[in-house]
Amino acid sequence: MKSADHQVGDASLWHCGPHCFRLRRRVLVMGIVNVTTDSFSDGGLYFQEDQAVEQALQLVGDGADILDIGGESTRPGADPVPLQVELDRVVPVIRRLARETDIPISVDTCKAEVAREALAAGAVIINDVTALRGDPAMEEIAARSEAGIVLMHMIGTPRTMQHNPQYVDVVREVAQFLQERLLRAEAAGISRVRIALDPGIGFGKTFEHNLQLHRRMHELTALGRPLLVGPSRKAFIGKLLDLPVEQRVEGTAAAVALAIAAGARIIRVHDVRQMTRVAKVALALSPGMADE
Ligand code: HH2
């Protein structure tokens, strides 16, 4: 087995509806579109349907491989959004983007009904920050679809997750959780080629926990599925640099580059133009890339 194979294992394929991504030598840049009023870094900027579509098309022009459309903020302490409000935010945007572009669309939601309607409108990935635990109907919606599924680690809910999160060994516990959720999803009829895993940077983690997860990310890329990482503009970067959210692009670049070097193959980011360039260089410089 060559070293790159060893590093990402059979994690190199990710099936999302009609798309099959080969990720051994490729990084996917997932561009974030928050159709919300209260997201931590861009709340309110893309709240209107036209603004959201325009921003999404801008991200496509900037090099995004996937668009992740969300209608409910998951920032610490965020209030849940009622079902109909979330549907009204994301479904029209997804429908228009599916018509206007060929780019794979992901829906960032914990609600089964939002996922169902988003898939019907053209989404091909369900990004569920609860790892299918939030809504009892989500597993079945996911199993019945052909969509790619992102299983993310979080303690509690966005409202409670930052209330003194504790671990003995955060990396081992996150890895165990992701492995358990992967097996559970498979048992529910979701084949593993459709699943990507995500440590949930900032979701029920202290500053030090987030650093540990980044430092030991290779332990998570060894789980045998593509690893998605979302450090973009998050608070640990702000704390390291003592900078506000709009000045965290270089810090995000460093986190993204090191995640890729550790084997992560999907990066969820706001600054798509910059991170596409970072990803290209980081991948070329990553261990194992010259083995063939
Ligand atoms: N982070 C956020 C939201 N969704 N999904 C995954 N899979 N991984 C992440 O790290 C992740 C996520 C938070 O970022 P953002 O969407 O910009 O903020 P908000 O939740 O406030 O809308």
Side-chain angles (χ1 to χ4, degrees):
M1 185 183 274
K2 292 186 178 147
S3 61
D5 282 325
H6 181 63
Q7 210 182 27
V8 293
D10 66 355
S12 55
L13 288 184
W14 190 30
H15 289 248
C16 303
H19 307 269
C20 173
F21 299 112
R22 288 183 178 279
L23 299 178
R24 210 163 74 69
R25 291 169 174 276
R26 183 170 180 204
V27 170
L28 299 175
V29 175
M30 176 185 254
I32 302 169
V33 181
N34 285 319
V35 195
T36 60
T37 53
D38 58 347
S39 286
F40 80 94
S41 85
D42 54 5
L45 287 180
Y46 314 116
F47 181 57
Q48 303 298 333
E49 183 183 318
D50 286 345
Q51 294 167 326
V53 171
E54 195 185 323
Q55 169 66 3
L57 296 176
Q58 176 67 48
L59 297 185
V60 175
D62 287 346
D65 298 296
I66 297 169
L67 292 169
D68 190 36
I69 315 297
E72 177 176 60
S73 171
T74 53
R75 78 187 151 72
D79 284 325
V81 169
L83 171 64
Q84 194 57 50
V85 173
E86 196 177 330
L87 284 170
D88 291 345
R89 289 179 180 182
V90 299
V91 175
V93 173
I94 291 171
R95 191 172 296 123
R96 269 178 64 183
L97 289 171
R99 252 191 263 124
E100 291 180 32
T101 73
D102 292 332
I103 197 166
I105 299 169
S106 159
V107 62
D108 185 350
T109 189
C110 325
K111 297 188 182 74
E113 187 58 19
V114 174
R116 199 180 63 75
E117 292 221 13
L119 295 179
V124 295
I125 297 168
I126 302 172
N127 173 22
D128 178 1
V129 298
T130 74
L132 312 183
R133 297 169 304 156
D135 182 331
M138 187 65 108
E139 232 170 39
E140 198 184 332
I141 297 290
R144 278 208 208 150
S145 76
E146 295 293 319
I149 308 292
V150 180
L151 300 177
M152 197 195 79
H153 175 272
M154 168 169 59
I155 287 190
T157 64
R159 206 186 252 276
T160 62
M161 65 190 180
Q162 290 308 104
H163 296 171
N164 194 24
Q166 293 198 6
Y167 306 84
V168 176
D169 179 337
V170 64
V171 183
R172 213 158 48 96
E173 287 168 51
V174 167
Q176 256 163 17
F177 171 92
L178 292 175
Q179 226 150 10
E180 279 164 24
R181 295 312 299 169
L182 174 60
L183 290 176
R184 164 79 198 219
E186 280 191 288
I190 303 166
S191 78
R192 63 193 282 125
V193 289
R194 291 168 50 201
I195 296 172
L197 304 176
D198 180 345
I201 301 298
F203 286 83
K205 281 99 183 176
T206 63
F207 172 71
E208 189 54 39
H209 295 144
N210 289 315
L211 298 193
Q212 286 289 341
L213 285 165
H214 279 278
R215 288 182 191 132
R216 290 168 54 196
M217 201 162 282
H218 55 279
E219 294 178 37
L220 303 173
T221 55
L223 293 174
R225 293 307 308 144
L227 195 75
L228 185 155
V229 187
S232 191
R233 300 181 184 171
K234 284 187 178 166
F236 77 96
I237 296 172
K239 183 161 174 177
L240 283 167
L241 297 175
D242 192 20
L243 285 173
V245 85
E246 64 281 3
Q247 292 186 53
R248 296 179 187 166
V249 67
E250 299 89 347
T252 300
V256 161
L258 287 167
I260 291 170
R265 288 293 178 264
I266 309 153
I267 53 161
R268 182 182 181 277
V269 293
H270 302 88
D271 304 292
V272 167
R273 185 165 47 84
Q274 296 91 331
M275 295 314 137
T276 301
R277 296 172 184 174
V278 168
K280 207 168 180 179
V281 176
L283 184 66
L285 303 185
S286 288
M289 283 302 122
D291 287 357
E292 276 179 0

